[in-house]
């Protein structure tokens, strides 16, 4: 019984540490990706919203052309720690 309580206590104490690590990883991905998008001459990423949750990236906003949309997704997919990319970017020419 003591062993079970010890195991449960250890598991209970580790969960917040794992959640904190995920939040730090998401923040790092967000910062890295925003910098890469802003620095890319084709994407000019200042108008792109980036949302990161558990390594899953969602790109939202508007870009000038299809090339910029595809390149933004490519940059996101190549970023360290990114597990998936949901490219919801729209073109300025779309209504």
């Amino acid at each position: 019984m003591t062993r079970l309580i010890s195991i449960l206590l250890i598991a209970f104490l580790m969960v917040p540490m794992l959640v904190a690590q995920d939040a730090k990883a998401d923040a790092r991905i967000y910062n890295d990706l925003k910098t890469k998008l802003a620095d890319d001459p084709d994407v000019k990423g200042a108008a792109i919203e980036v949302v990161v949750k558990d390594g899953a990236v969602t790109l939202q906003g508007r870009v000038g052309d299809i090339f910029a949309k595809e390149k933004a997704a490519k940059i996101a997919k190549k970023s360290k720690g990114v597990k998936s990319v949901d490219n919801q970017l729209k073109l300025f020419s779309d209504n």
Side-chain angles (χ1 to χ4, degrees), residues 9-83:
L9 182 59
I10 290 170
F12 179 74
L13 293 173
M14 289 185 68
V15 168
M17 290 183 348
L18 295 174
V19 171
Q21 288 176 351
D22 285 345
K24 285 182 183 179
D26 286 347
R28 184 193 50 74
I29 291 168
Y30 173 86
N31 290 330
D32 289 349
L33 189 50
K34 285 294 281 187
T35 300
K36 288 177 183 176
L37 292 171
D39 289 346
D40 187 87
D42 298 317
V43 176
K44 300 176 186 85
I48 297 176
E49 292 180 46
V50 176
V51 178
V52 183
K53 178 70 175 159
D54 299 328
V57 172
T58 302
L59 301 175
Q60 299 172 325
R62 294 194 178 267
V63 292
D65 56 35
I66 192 70
F67 178 75
K69 178 179 177 175
E70 291 171 356
K71 188 158 184 195
K74 184 177 180 180
I75 290 169
K77 289 174 185 174
K78 287 184 169 184
S79 295
K80 183 177 180 183
V82 172
K83 296 176 183 172

